Amino acid sequence: PLVSFSFYLEIQGTVAGTFRELSGLGSETELVEAKEADKGKLVYMKIPGSTKWENISLKRGITDSMDLWKWRKQVEQGDIANARKNGSIVMYDQTNTEVSRWNFVNGWPRKVSGPTFNAQTNEIGIEEMEIVHEGIVRDH
């Protein structure tokens, strides 16, 4: 089994950041149950319906990089055509060798949020991003 602690987000082939947590690398196909009569018996068939992909959720300690916030700003300003980008989630092993890659198409940031502030703790500020897309494929 591979260890899932080292991964990067690439947008259009350029590393856009490292994250401490990521989820949403999956898809789901709707189940359609159809009834059909066969020689007087009612037969239930399970047929695949439409497929949808999970949104990619990312969390990281806040940095001084504004790249993700600028990308989100494109969506806020209605420039969806230019905000849609292909990207990858790339996983590395302990020797920093790429071991797996999930490629998504036409992704754009649906949500970006900054840290929650609390003067009574010394926790790292976490920013979050949610990317929606039109399909994801595990490359290797």
Side-chain angles (χ1 to χ4, degrees):
L2 300 172
V3 179
S4 63
F5 70 88
S6 182
F7 53 93
Y8 298 91
L9 169 66
E10 287 183 4
I11 303 296
Q12 305 287 106
T14 302
V15 173
T18 60
F19 294 83
R20 78 181 222 173
E21 192 174 326
L22 181 142
S23 63
L25 299 180
S27 66
E28 180 179 339
T29 301
E30 179 184 7
L31 173 65
V32 178
E33 291 190 3
K35 298 177 208 173
E36 185 176 292
D38 183 22
K39 298 178 186 173
K41 285 186 164 183
L42 194 56
V43 177
Y44 287 90
M45 297 174 46
K46 296 186 179 193
I47 302 167
S50 60
T51 298
K52 65 179 181 177
W53 289 269
E54 295 178 36
N55 296 342
I56 300 169
S57 296
L58 304 140
K59 293 180 183 180
R60 71 175 181 184
I62 194 162
T63 68
D64 61 356
S65 173
M66 295 295 293
D67 292 348
L68 299 179
W69 291 87
K70 288 177 183 174
W71 187 24
R72 172 69 186 142
K73 190 73 167 173
Q74 287 181 297
V75 175
E76 292 171 354
Q77 294 174 339
D79 189 9
I80 301 298
N82 287 319
R84 290 182 183 273
K85 300 190 183 307
N86 297 334
S88 301
I89 306 300
V90 186
M91 182 178 174
Y92 295 87
D93 66 12
Q94 295 89 333
T95 65
N96 211 29
T97 301
E98 181 177 321
V99 292
S100 196
R101 176 179 289 264
W102 290 262
N103 299 316
F104 61 87
V105 294
N106 289 329
W108 54 273
R110 185 182 90 84
K111 174 181 152 183
V112 173
S113 59
T116 300
F117 296 100
N118 184 345
Q120 295 179 349
T121 69
N122 62 354
E123 294 178 3
I124 294 172
I126 302 297
E127 64 181 353
E128 300 179 38
M129 172 178 251
E130 185 175 335
I131 300 172
V132 297
H133 54 87
E134 297 174 357
I136 193 164
V137 175
R138 183 173 174 182
D139 192 9
H140 59 277

